[in-house]
Amino acid sequence: FVDLAAARERDGGDVRYGVSDTEVLDMGTDTPKIRFQAAGGSPFEIHCDILVGADGSQGICKWAIPQEHRMDNFIEYPFPWFGILTVAPPSAPELIYSNSEHGFALISQRNEKVQRMYFQAGPNEDASRWSEDQIWDELQKRVAGPDGFELKRGPIFEQMILKFRSYVCEPLRYGSMFLVGDAGHTVPPTGAKGLNLALADAKVLFEAIDSYYATRSRGLLDGYSEKALRRVWKAQNFSYWMTNMLHTRKDANPFETKRALGELDTVVNSRFGQQYLAESYTGWPHS
């Protein structure tokens, strides 16, 4: 976001911070509006041809769509993550997904000095009650194996519990307002599809807006939601699959646990399983 905002300012755009009381109005007309108070308290109203709702999962745009024109598709996962940020060198050159009898863990990298790591936690876990030694011991337990792999430890400066859900708003358009990214859909981070989907939405919508102003044809604008949602639902399926395959349910019986391990083994040791995972993880071209 910082990079995008800076680029917009360099291009002469008007980027505003500290606004409040934001509203979106008249989306069903040819002149949608954004109303807000500037940081200094002055009221503003922007009249648009096209309004893009890119205000994230907690934003106001999708809820401004009347309920009778919106379908909220939703599922919550019983797999919260205990997440940390630590000052430490990378433990591995690539991120690590771990499915163990103790639960899931993800070891990812931010840069050469800061790393982000997660492990599957209980639904009512309190992150503040864990000491650094307890956290590191739990993470190590979940990635330990016959290869003797050891995490590289360091001081932890952030620890939190993250609950996950999948959500899709259908359609991604109401009148002259178009939803982009987390404003219209969210996925659990297991499949790493959130930013991928947001950028894909932006590309599809840019092409539609560019076509509209070049030709005055609304064809691509009218097809935006359908085209974007094809990719969104593929990503939802992939994220759901990855999440359920890699996590350990406490209420799972031995058959369910061993079936999931068989599924994981198939992905790891099948060229076609690897190919499906790679294609889904990196994203799909638009048709």
Side-chain angles (χ1 to χ4, degrees):
F1 170 79
V2 171
D3 292 342
L4 288 171
R8 182 63 180 149
E9 286 189 309
R10 287 197 305 270
D11 292 341
D14 186 353
V15 182
R16 306 222 173 181
Y17 301 93
V19 305
S20 60
D21 299 326
T22 307
E23 299 177 86
V24 289
L25 311 164
D26 300 334
M27 292 87 68
T29 73
D30 291 335
T31 312
K33 301 172 182 66
I34 305 169
R35 189 178 292 163
F36 61 93
Q37 280 199 339
S42 301
F44 275 84
E45 186 171 279
I46 303 172
H47 292 214
C48 321
D49 294 331
I50 293 168
L51 192 157
V52 180
D55 53 344
S57 61
Q58 302 300 316
I60 63 172
C61 286
K62 65 173 170 285
W63 307 123
I65 301 174
Q67 183 65 61
E68 62 269 24
H69 294 287
R70 187 186 81 236
M71 178 178 288
D72 298 309
N73 304 282
F74 170 82
I75 186 172
E76 188 163 13
Y77 297 88
F79 310 120
W81 281 4
F82 192 122
I84 67 165
L85 279 169
T86 178
V87 179
S91 292
E94 303 289 346
L95 60 79
I96 298 170
Y97 286 96
S98 175
N99 179 323
S100 80
E101 62 182 356
H102 305 292
F104 169 79
L106 171 61
I107 311 302
S108 63
Q109 302 84 18
R110 275 290 184 86
N111 53 48
E112 291 302 311
K113 296 180 180 179
V114 176
Q115 317 307 323
R116 183 178 284 283
M117 305 180 188
Y118 304 94
F119 62 85
Q120 179 182 342
N124 300 312
E125 193 63 73
D126 181 356
S128 65
R129 300 181 60 139
W130 286 64
S131 69
E132 289 198 11
D133 286 341
Q134 287 175 312
I135 293 170
W136 282 116
D137 289 347
E138 188 66 30
L139 281 165
Q140 181 60 47
K141 182 169 65 176
R142 298 188 187 205
V143 299
D147 59 355
F149 176 77
E150 291 279 343
L151 291 170
K152 294 180 180 178
R153 305 187 179 195
I156 296 170
F157 63 91
E158 185 174 284
Q159 55 196 73
M160 78 297 286
I161 296 293
L162 304 173
K163 294 186 177 181
F164 297 140
R165 66 178 191 170
S166 288
Y167 170 82
V168 180
C169 177
E170 289 185 305
L172 294 174
R173 175 209 181 166
Y174 177 67
S176 298
M177 181 176 73
F178 298 81
L179 300 178
V180 170
D182 283 5
H185 44 79
T186 58
V187 290
T190 327
K193 303 306 297 180
L195 184 56
N196 179 282
L197 287 179
L199 290 173
D201 287 353
K203 180 178 184 293
V204 173
L205 185 56
F206 163 75
E207 291 170 351
I209 293 172
D210 187 51
S211 172
Y212 171 69
Y213 283 110
T215 67
R216 287 296 162 177
S217 168
R218 302 188 69 90
L220 293 183
L221 285 174
D222 292 341
Y224 164 74
S225 180
E226 181 181 358
K227 184 172 184 178
L229 282 171
R230 284 201 299 269
R231 186 186 186 97
V232 167
W233 280 114
K234 287 168 71 173
Q236 290 289 359
N237 173 65
F238 174 65
S239 297
Y240 180 91
W241 171 69
M242 284 279 285
T243 300
N244 283 282
M245 177 176 64
L246 290 170
H247 287 72
T248 304
R249 283 199 357 252
K250 288 190 175 181
D251 61 345
N253 62 41
F255 177 89
E256 292 172 302
T257 300
K258 292 176 182 179
R259 186 216 61 79
L261 290 174
E263 183 178 25
L264 181 58
D265 185 64
T266 300
V267 173
V268 171
N269 293 301
S270 163
R271 179 168 64 89
F272 298 105
Q274 294 172 9
Q275 185 173 326
Y276 169 73
L277 176 63
E279 180 187 43
S280 301
Y281 201 87
T282 56
W284 310 271
H286 281 291
S287 57

